[in-house]
Amino acid sequence: EDIMKLTEHFTLEEFTHSSTAVALGIENKPTAVHLEHIKNVATRMEVVRALFDRPIDITSGYRNPEVNAAVGGVPNSAHALGHAADFHVIGLHDLDAAKTIRDSALTFDQLIYEKNRCVHISFDPRMRQQVLRQPGGPGSPVHQGLEP
């Protein structure tokens, strides 16, 4: 399989890999428009990576509509549009990584600390600079700020 490099440190494979898609035999292929969004996220994730000067593990990126529905994502999810990435900064606690991003000059739409799961960042064109936390896991309430 060809590995398509999007940026210096990120590949399309990283942004389209989905264990759910693999398990269900769904090809998680982005549309041309969604691919442009994914390239934008990858470019912005290079800026995130530079902030820490550490590797980043993308745990979830793009989910096509079928995959998004299978994981219980809302239809207008930033993941389904190619605007989002869930990730870990290698060697850092997710909360510390989220705080560093919050306190930096980075622009984003949403930054969500998903407790015991990941850091979620999205670059929807609205760029609302929302900083949120989701302590209860997928589908649970989202609250303002990274800490209670």
Side-chain angles (χ1 to χ4, degrees):
E1 188 183 347
D2 292 340
I3 298 292
M4 180 180 171
K5 277 192 97 158
L6 299 177
T7 61
E8 186 185 352
H9 298 104
F10 297 107
T11 65
L12 182 59
E13 203 330 275
E14 286 177 277
F15 282 93
T16 56
H17 176 77
S18 160
S19 50
T20 302
V22 171
L24 297 175
I26 302 167
E27 190 184 9
N28 191 33
K29 191 171 164 56
T31 64
V33 171
H34 290 168
L35 180 58
E36 289 310 308
H37 296 170
I38 296 165
K39 287 176 178 172
N40 176 54
V41 172
T43 300
R44 291 174 182 277
M45 287 305 294
E46 286 288 352
V47 181
V48 172
R49 191 184 191 281
L51 189 63
F52 297 99
D53 195 27
R54 291 167 180 252
I56 284 179
D57 175 29
I58 305 288
T59 58
S60 180
Y62 178 68
R63 301 194 292 246
N64 75 7
E66 202 178 344
V67 175
N68 189 57
V71 299
V74 292
N76 62 344
S77 160
H79 286 281
L81 298 170
H83 286 310
D86 294 347
F87 66 94
H88 303 290
V89 177
I90 303 299
L92 272 190
H93 189 282
D94 288 338
L95 181 58
D96 294 331
K99 285 179 183 172
T100 300
I101 294 167
R102 174 196 66 195
D103 299 340
S104 75
L106 280 174
T107 56
F108 49 82
D109 184 49
Q110 288 187 319
L111 174 69
I112 307 173
Y113 167 54
E114 297 187 23
K115 190 172 181 181
N116 300 324
R117 289 186 66 232
C118 63
V119 180
H120 165 101
I121 196 164
S122 66
F123 301 100
D124 177 291
R126 288 173 288 180
M127 296 300 244
R128 294 168 291 179
Q129 217 62 22
Q130 292 182 345
V131 177
L132 308 160
R133 69 184 184 280
Q134 187 178 38
S140 68
V142 176
H143 308 279
Q144 292 292 326
L146 296 177
E147 300 162 291

